[in-house]
Amino acid sequence: MKRIILHSDFNSFYASVECMMHPEIAHLPVAVTGDPQARHGVVLAKNEIAKQYGIKTGETIWSAKRKCPDLHTVLPHFDEYRRISQEAFALYNSYTPRVEPFGLDECWLDMSAPGMTFSAAEEFANMLRKQIKSEMGLTVSVGVSFTKSFAKLASDLKKPDAVSVISDTDYTEKAWQLPCEALLYVGKSSRRKLNEHGIYTIGDIARMPQEIMRSILGKSGVMLHEYANGRDSSQVEYAAAAHDVKSVGNSTTTDHDLTTRDEVCAVIYSLADKVAGRLRKAELLCSTVQISVRDKNMVTTEKQIKLQSPSDISNEIAEAAMSLFDAHYSAEITPVRALGVHTTQLTSSGENHQTSLFEDVEKREKLSALDSARDKLRKKYGKSMVNRASDVNI
Ligand SMILES: [Mg+2]
């Protein structure tokens, strides 16, 4: 079976999250930095606009401001980055448990399956890219390839918001012309040593006799030689991640403020339906439902509620989310700009659960049957064919 591996990488992650949280700065050159008062404050991340001024990660704020006097600097919010990272991994995990994180904002996904082709994988990668953009308001670059190292390389080929493929038939053409430091694990000092031996591109590495590569860089020289020739059998390490899905959620930013309960209700039902569908697909049940509400003043708050018994039923999750909204918010008083429905305390649906004495067993079974009927129809006819009555475009 052909291996198909994706590498998904958020574009300018920290800076993009900051711009998403503060749309009023999104059109400015933005850098996330250490404390500007500290003498050694440096740039931790920058957005695309700041990049055009030649600002580099790791340079001092002082030097960055010299290149771009109007640079808008913000302090990092790591809790927020971690929260969004978890949301992204939950989304990846809803498609496959074979997800290996590489830092907060990157991961590999092993999409190998009988009959899976590069073009089908490319289509999937584009769907994933669009879903992340519409649900999370952030962009990713996705690489599709047959080894982890080439998948990572492919995700760097085109940014932002793009998909690139390096296949087993075109890697000599697409990868070999790139500078050697584009390859995973070629850092500054390896690059210098390689350059000293007249090795400048990935193709140069690939064409070198392996023993020469060993004499230059030892074991890692051999490894790089294998990578450059498309021989990287390292697996997507997912065992820990599969059991580590802490939450499944969806959120959306609406293009106008929601000012009535009905509008909020429509969005919450639609989000809850997506979330519940993902839980069912991953064979998970949730015990806690959480909503996040961003109001028109860009203040985000979260509320959560424990369910009577673990659930993957669209209607139950939607009702719980709506009860939270009704208890804590009013769209008529404070219009809503973004909504999220998240589920946590997840357990495998294969496990036996103690059912609550109070629940209406018959009603639950009916709702559950309805959901699985809709799941089947969706699988057969595509997502858009079978929507809940409350699905509206807002
Ligand atoms: Mg990134």
Side-chain angles (χ1 to χ4, degrees), residues 9-13 105-106:
D9 184 358
F10 277 93
N11 304 121
S12 318
F13 186 56
D105 69 323
E106 297 179 28

Side-chain angles (χ1 to χ4, degrees), residues 143-176:
V144 180
S145 196
F146 58 102
T147 66
K148 277 169 77 178
S149 42
F150 278 163
K152 164 117 176 105
L153 187 66
S155 71
D156 284 330
L157 288 181
K158 217 163 144 202
K159 293 177 185 179
D161 197 18
V163 171
S164 309
V165 182
I166 295 179
S167 78
D168 51 355
T169 53
D170 64 14
Y171 68 94
T172 53
E173 175 194 322
K174 285 183 179 165
W176 281 16

